[in-house]
Amino acid sequence: MRETQDPVVNRVLAKFIRRSDEGMQRFGVSMADADKPVLKWIEDAQEELMDAIVYLEKLKEHFDG
């Protein structure tokens, strides 16, 4: 993996690679070759973003006291 001069970016890139590897093991197909209807892609993205909002709300508890 090519690394950048920014260690934070390097950690994010490593996570993308790890997630891609896990997806290949789980689904047996790359994102490039994945075939779903457009609306399914949109629904999947919405679900991922909703999860992210929930995670952020949970983390706010740490700062709200």
Side-chain angles (χ1 to χ4, degrees):
M1 174 182 93
R2 183 177 93 68
E3 292 192 355
T4 71
Q5 294 180 359
D6 186 330
V8 175
V9 172
N10 291 336
R11 287 195 304 267
V12 171
L13 291 172
K15 288 179 181 187
F16 270 111
I17 291 168
R18 199 167 36 250
R19 184 164 170 86
S20 175
D21 290 344
E22 290 168 0
M24 286 297 296
Q25 285 182 333
R26 182 173 177 191
F27 300 108
V29 64
S30 69
M31 285 294 291
D33 295 327
D35 187 25
K36 298 187 227 184
V38 172
L39 288 178
K40 180 61 177 147
W41 286 109
I42 293 170
E43 289 173 9
D44 288 351
Q46 286 176 320
E47 290 170 4
E48 295 286 346
L49 292 170
M50 286 187 281
D51 288 345
I53 295 295
V54 172
Y55 302 153
L56 291 170
E57 188 64 26
K58 174 64 180 170
L59 290 172
K60 282 174 45 182
E61 293 176 3
H62 176 75
F63 296 101
D64 289 343

